[in-house]
Amino acid sequence: MAKYCCQRYYTSKEVADHNTTSDCWVTLLGQVYDLNDLIKQNYGSHLLEPIIKVAGEDISHWFDDNTKDVKTRIDPVLHTRSYYLPMGKFIHASALEESSKQVPWWRDQKYIIGKLSRKTRTIRIINTLTHQDHLLEVCSEETLNEILDRYLRFNSHAASYTWKRMGRKLDMTMTLDENGIPDEDSEFADLAIRDTYYTPALHLYFNDDLTVG
């Protein structure tokens, strides 16, 4: 199973990495769900099949934006309301009467581990001490401290550095945009410029103190 740490926001790529029976995440109406415990509790049930088929994917289209519940329809023969399940019945969504007796997993906060980023950004992080240069996809909603956490896999002492942009010290409690590093993707699109043409760079300056981090 892929390892992960609790985050406020996740990228679509991070969710997509959890795409197996033993490691199943999905996104739903902007939330990221870790359904591993749900699968363990119902292991062997045919009602897991629709969920396992979409592991690592977004299933917002299964749900109604307004009610935040599974979409319903009026049965053309019986003229009764039932779940609309073209993907097949799944856990807690087999019959309306049954679901009303329990908290369905999509309303259970224990399965929610964070939010799906509405917009990701690519930045360069340059270590001025070692001259290492890394490209990193981050969530636009994240603070620099959260971006630092992502960068730890490249440098476990990342907190021992001062983070700067063009010589200006950055506020680690703020986002890139709040630090004056705007997302210019829309401008690039208007000008028909590839979004890989320019990637903002952050420079790390070593503090000579390995006790930090």
Side-chain angles (χ1 to χ4, degrees), residues 63 71 108 158 165 196 199:
F63 293 77
K71 290 179 178 178
D108 196 331
R165 164 71 173 166
T196 56
T199 303

Side-chain angles (χ1 to χ4, degrees), residues 28-29 59-72 81 107:
L28 163 58
L29 300 177
I59 58 171
S60 297
H61 57 287
W62 292 8
F63 293 77
D64 186 295
D65 287 337
N66 297 315
T67 65
K68 314 300 181 187
D69 207 342
V70 180
K71 290 179 178 178
T72 61
R81 183 170 294 279
R107 291 187 180 276

Side-chain angles (χ1 to χ4, degrees), residues 8 11 37-38 45 53 81 142 149 153 165 189 192 212-213:
R8 284 195 310 144
T11 69
D37 285 344
L38 181 73
S45 172
K53 286 181 180 179
R81 183 170 294 279
E142 292 178 320
D149 287 339
R153 70 177 184 268
R165 164 71 173 166
V212 181

Side-chain angles (χ1 to χ4, degrees), residues 26 76 90 111 125 155 175:
V26 297
F90 58 91
Y111 295 114
I125 298 182
N155 185 341
T175 65

Side-chain angles (χ1 to χ4, degrees), residues 9-37:
Y9 291 92
Y10 294 87
T11 69
S12 294
K13 290 180 180 178
E14 287 176 312
V15 175
D17 286 339
H18 301 266
N19 58 7
T20 67
T21 303
S22 59
D23 184 15
C24 176
W25 289 13
V26 297
T27 57
L28 163 58
L29 300 177
Q31 305 278 11
V32 179
Y33 289 72
D34 178 343
L35 299 183
N36 292 320
D37 285 344

Side-chain angles (χ1 to χ4, degrees), residues 34-45 48 91-92 102-103 105 108 110-111:
D34 178 343
L35 299 183
N36 292 320
D37 285 344
L38 181 73
I39 291 174
K40 290 176 182 177
Q41 293 165 10
N42 297 275
Y43 189 78
S45 172
L48 285 175
I91 295 292
H92 299 166
Q102 58 185 321
V103 178
W105 62 261
D108 196 331
K110 71 182 180 183
Y111 295 114

